[in-house]
mmCIF file of all heavy atoms in Angstrom:
data_model
loop_
_atom_site.group_PDB
_atom_site.id
_atom_site.type_symbol
_atom_site.label_atom_id
_atom_site.label_comp_id
_atom_site.label_asym_id
_atom_site.label_seq_id
_atom_site.Cartn_x
_atom_site.Cartn_y
_atom_site.Cartn_z
ATOM 1 N N ILE Z 180 105.623 111.298 84.640
ATOM 2 C CA ILE Z 180 104.829 110.055 84.184
ATOM 3 C C ILE Z 180 103.344 110.340 84.428
ATOM 4 O O ILE Z 180 103.015 110.719 85.628
ATOM 5 C CB ILE Z 180 105.342 108.887 85.020
ATOM 6 C CG1 ILE Z 180 106.856 108.569 84.773
ATOM 7 C CG2 ILE Z 180 104.468 107.579 84.855
ATOM 8 C CD1 ILE Z 180 107.416 107.621 85.728
ATOM 9 N N ASP Z 181 102.577 110.091 83.449
ATOM 10 C CA ASP Z 181 101.108 110.452 83.601
ATOM 11 C C ASP Z 181 100.435 109.202 84.200
ATOM 12 O O ASP Z 181 99.830 108.410 83.583
ATOM 13 C CB ASP Z 181 100.440 110.727 82.174
ATOM 14 C CG ASP Z 181 98.979 111.092 82.245
ATOM 15 O OD1 ASP Z 181 98.655 111.521 83.400
ATOM 16 O OD2 ASP Z 181 98.286 111.041 81.268
ATOM 17 N N ALA Z 182 100.470 109.207 85.554
ATOM 18 C CA ALA Z 182 99.938 108.098 86.370
ATOM 19 C C ALA Z 182 99.332 108.636 87.636
ATOM 20 O O ALA Z 182 99.743 109.693 88.119
ATOM 21 C CB ALA Z 182 101.068 107.124 86.656
ATOM 22 N N GLU Z 183 98.348 107.838 88.147
ATOM 23 C CA GLU Z 183 97.713 108.214 89.329
ATOM 24 C C GLU Z 183 97.762 107.031 90.273
ATOM 25 O O GLU Z 183 97.750 105.886 89.859
ATOM 26 C CB GLU Z 183 96.186 108.421 89.058
ATOM 27 C CG GLU Z 183 95.372 109.095 90.206
ATOM 28 C CD GLU Z 183 94.003 109.290 89.812
ATOM 29 O OE1 GLU Z 183 93.736 109.568 88.625
ATOM 30 O OE2 GLU Z 183 93.098 109.224 90.671
ATOM 31 N N TYR Z 184 98.012 107.376 91.657
ATOM 32 C CA TYR Z 184 98.161 106.441 92.589
ATOM 33 C C TYR Z 184 97.023 106.432 93.553
ATOM 34 O O TYR Z 184 96.682 107.582 94.140
ATOM 35 C CB TYR Z 184 99.428 106.668 93.487
ATOM 36 C CG TYR Z 184 99.844 105.609 94.464
ATOM 37 C CD1 TYR Z 184 100.735 104.636 94.094
ATOM 38 C CD2 TYR Z 184 99.195 105.523 95.669
ATOM 39 C CE1 TYR Z 184 101.044 103.524 94.988
ATOM 40 C CE2 TYR Z 184 99.550 104.524 96.583
ATOM 41 C CZ TYR Z 184 100.410 103.505 96.224
ATOM 42 O OH TYR Z 184 100.760 102.477 97.153
ATOM 43 N N ARG Z 185 96.248 105.365 93.660
ATOM 44 C CA ARG Z 185 94.951 105.366 94.396
ATOM 45 C C ARG Z 185 94.979 104.394 95.522
ATOM 46 O O ARG Z 185 95.863 103.609 95.702
ATOM 47 C CB ARG Z 185 93.830 104.850 93.365
ATOM 48 C CG ARG Z 185 93.631 105.810 92.305
ATOM 49 C CD ARG Z 185 92.469 105.313 91.357
ATOM 50 N NE ARG Z 185 92.293 106.260 90.191
ATOM 51 C CZ ARG Z 185 91.532 105.882 89.144
ATOM 52 N NH1 ARG Z 185 90.953 104.747 89.078
ATOM 53 N NH2 ARG Z 185 91.367 106.740 88.236
ATOM 54 N N LEU Z 186 93.929 104.599 96.439
ATOM 55 C CA LEU Z 186 93.800 103.768 97.603
ATOM 56 C C LEU Z 186 92.696 102.709 97.246
ATOM 57 O O LEU Z 186 91.614 103.147 96.833
ATOM 58 C CB LEU Z 186 93.413 104.499 98.778
ATOM 59 C CG LEU Z 186 94.469 105.363 99.477
ATOM 60 C CD1 LEU Z 186 93.892 106.068 100.669
ATOM 61 C CD2 LEU Z 186 95.689 104.554 99.842
ATOM 62 N N TRP Z 187 93.075 101.409 97.260
ATOM 63 C CA TRP Z 187 92.023 100.404 96.956
ATOM 64 C C TRP Z 187 91.820 99.556 98.212
ATOM 65 O O TRP Z 187 92.506 98.638 98.452
ATOM 66 C CB TRP Z 187 92.590 99.483 95.807
ATOM 67 C CG TRP Z 187 92.817 100.129 94.391
ATOM 68 C CD1 TRP Z 187 91.910 101.141 93.988
ATOM 69 C CD2 TRP Z 187 93.902 100.063 93.585
ATOM 70 N NE1 TRP Z 187 92.424 101.574 92.795
ATOM 71 C CE2 TRP Z 187 93.574 100.952 92.455
ATOM 72 C CE3 TRP Z 187 95.049 99.366 93.545
ATOM 73 C CZ2 TRP Z 187 94.397 101.042 91.319
ATOM 74 C CZ3 TRP Z 187 95.858 99.398 92.433
ATOM 75 C CH2 TRP Z 187 95.595 100.276 91.391
ATOM 76 N N GLU Z 188 90.836 100.121 98.932
ATOM 77 C CA GLU Z 188 90.457 99.394 100.229
ATOM 78 C C GLU Z 188 89.492 98.260 99.852
ATOM 79 O O GLU Z 188 88.345 98.480 99.317
ATOM 80 C CB GLU Z 188 89.700 100.417 101.083
ATOM 81 C CG GLU Z 188 89.910 100.115 102.542
ATOM 82 C CD GLU Z 188 89.523 101.311 103.397
ATOM 83 O OE1 GLU Z 188 88.290 101.635 103.363
ATOM 84 O OE2 GLU Z 188 90.385 101.943 104.021
ATOM 85 N N VAL Z 189 89.980 97.046 100.049
ATOM 86 C CA VAL Z 189 89.201 95.857 99.658
ATOM 87 C C VAL Z 189 88.916 94.861 100.816
ATOM 88 O O VAL Z 189 89.761 94.772 101.734
ATOM 89 C CB VAL Z 189 89.808 95.088 98.439
ATOM 90 C CG1 VAL Z 189 89.872 95.887 97.237
ATOM 91 C CG2 VAL Z 189 91.160 94.580 98.789
ATOM 92 N N SER Z 190 87.834 94.094 100.662
ATOM 93 C CA SER Z 190 87.655 93.042 101.689
ATOM 94 C C SER Z 190 88.368 91.801 101.181
ATOM 95 O O SER Z 190 88.810 91.777 99.945
ATOM 96 C CB SER Z 190 86.132 92.773 101.751
ATOM 97 O OG SER Z 190 85.720 92.132 100.475
ATOM 98 N N GLU Z 191 88.629 90.846 102.070
ATOM 99 C CA GLU Z 191 89.413 89.711 101.607
ATOM 100 C C GLU Z 191 88.790 88.992 100.461
ATOM 101 O O GLU Z 191 89.361 88.500 99.479
ATOM 102 C CB GLU Z 191 89.574 88.662 102.782
ATOM 103 C CG GLU Z 191 90.466 87.543 102.390
ATOM 104 C CD GLU Z 191 91.288 87.082 103.571
ATOM 105 O OE1 GLU Z 191 91.053 87.374 104.717
ATOM 106 O OE2 GLU Z 191 92.264 86.298 103.201
ATOM 107 N N ALA Z 192 87.377 88.970 100.439
ATOM 108 C CA ALA Z 192 86.693 88.269 99.356
ATOM 109 C C ALA Z 192 86.890 88.990 98.020
ATOM 110 O O ALA Z 192 86.592 88.350 96.914
ATOM 111 C CB ALA Z 192 85.150 88.224 99.778
#
Side-chain angles (χ1 to χ4, degrees):
I180 297 169
D181 184 18
E183 190 180 326
Y184 190 95
R185 296 181 179 169
L186 289 178
W187 294 321
E188 210 166 66
V189 291
S190 67
E191 183 145 17

